[in-house]
Amino acid sequence: MSDPEIPQKAPYIAKLDAGDYYWCSCGKSSKQPFCDGSHQGLDFSPIKFSLEKNQVVSLCGCKHAKKPPFCDGSHNQI
Ligand code: FES
């Protein structure tokens, strides 16, 4: 499997409404941190996550989090 691109070595802090979202895992989306379909033909698939209430989240921007889509500090090791 190839390495993902790294849009930024820091999380995206976002205030999101409750609902379903697709986090970009390939790093090529122009709508970071969300999927825009750019993974087509690559070894990556977006990761779906759901929020049950409106909240602020810290979404991984380096694409190396061990349990995506949320930042776990892995960007400090890149
Ligand atoms: S931005 Fe990827 S682990 Fe923090």
Side-chain angles (χ1 to χ4, degrees):
M1 188 159 166
S2 54
D3 291 332
E5 288 197 11
I6 300 173
Q8 64 179 33
K9 291 183 180 179
Y12 292 96
I13 309 299
K15 186 176 182 182
L16 301 178
D17 293 337
D20 296 333
Y21 297 91
Y22 290 87
W23 176 81
C24 165
S25 66
C26 71
K28 292 183 178 292
S29 173
S30 63
K31 296 181 178 176
Q32 292 297 331
F34 304 109
C35 176
D36 72 351
S38 295
H39 62 276
Q40 297 289 338
L42 303 175
D43 292 336
F44 295 92
S45 297
I47 292 178
K48 181 183 178 184
F49 67 100
S50 301
L51 300 178
E52 294 184 3
K53 61 180 182 177
N54 300 0
Q55 64 188 97
V56 176
V57 293
S58 176
L59 296 167
C60 172
C62 74
K63 311 303 178 184
H64 284 72
K66 293 179 179 58
K67 291 184 180 176
F70 302 106
C71 173
D72 64 1
S74 294
H75 58 269
N76 291 314
Q77 270 81 56
I78 297 175

